Amino acid sequence: MKALLVKYILHIDGFAGTSVGLLLLFFQDIASDFYQLPKGLILFLAGANVCYGIYALRLALICNRSLKVVTGLAIANFLWAIVCVGVILIYFEQASMFALLFIGAECIFVAIFGLCEWRCRFILVSRSD
């Protein structure tokens, strides 16, 4: 894997999660209408993304990361991909096509990042940037 990607993977992952979460939070009414999904689900998605993003950014900014926290982050990505699949399956008939595509893309994105973080977990531990 490219050294530059490994160096910034936690930054990119954290920024992506935080920004998506904040956008959903700030535009929850618009997102709910556009996605044709309940506002409570939008708030759940927003909150989970913000919490995850902040955690990933926190890890990105510390030099001495334990294997446990890096592994946990990778597993959290895999679990979130499963949640995305569940949301798609549960709301398939109700959600707009854009919502299904967006959540599907998020599923693929977090699964890829989870895989990258899993494969690079030993490199990401105690890395001095």
Side-chain angles (χ1 to χ4, degrees), residues 39-117:
K39 192 172 180 180
L41 178 62
I42 299 298
L43 290 173
F44 168 72
L45 296 172
N49 273 286
V50 168
C51 290
Y52 173 85
I54 289 171
Y55 182 70
L57 285 173
R58 182 186 163 278
L59 286 182
L61 297 175
I62 61 175
C63 292
N64 295 317
R65 304 173 199 111
S66 73
L67 182 60
K68 186 175 164 180
V69 297
V70 173
T71 300
L73 189 71
I75 291 170
N77 269 321
F78 294 130
L79 293 174
W80 191 248
I82 293 168
V83 169
C84 290
V85 170
V87 169
I88 289 170
L89 292 174
I90 292 168
Y91 292 98
F92 185 77
E93 292 186 19
Q94 174 184 342
S96 68
M97 182 58 70
F98 185 77
L100 297 173
L101 291 172
F102 182 83
I103 296 170
E106 182 175 0
C107 176
I108 293 166
F109 181 84
V110 298
I112 289 170
F113 267 81
L115 181 62
C116 291
E117 289 162 353

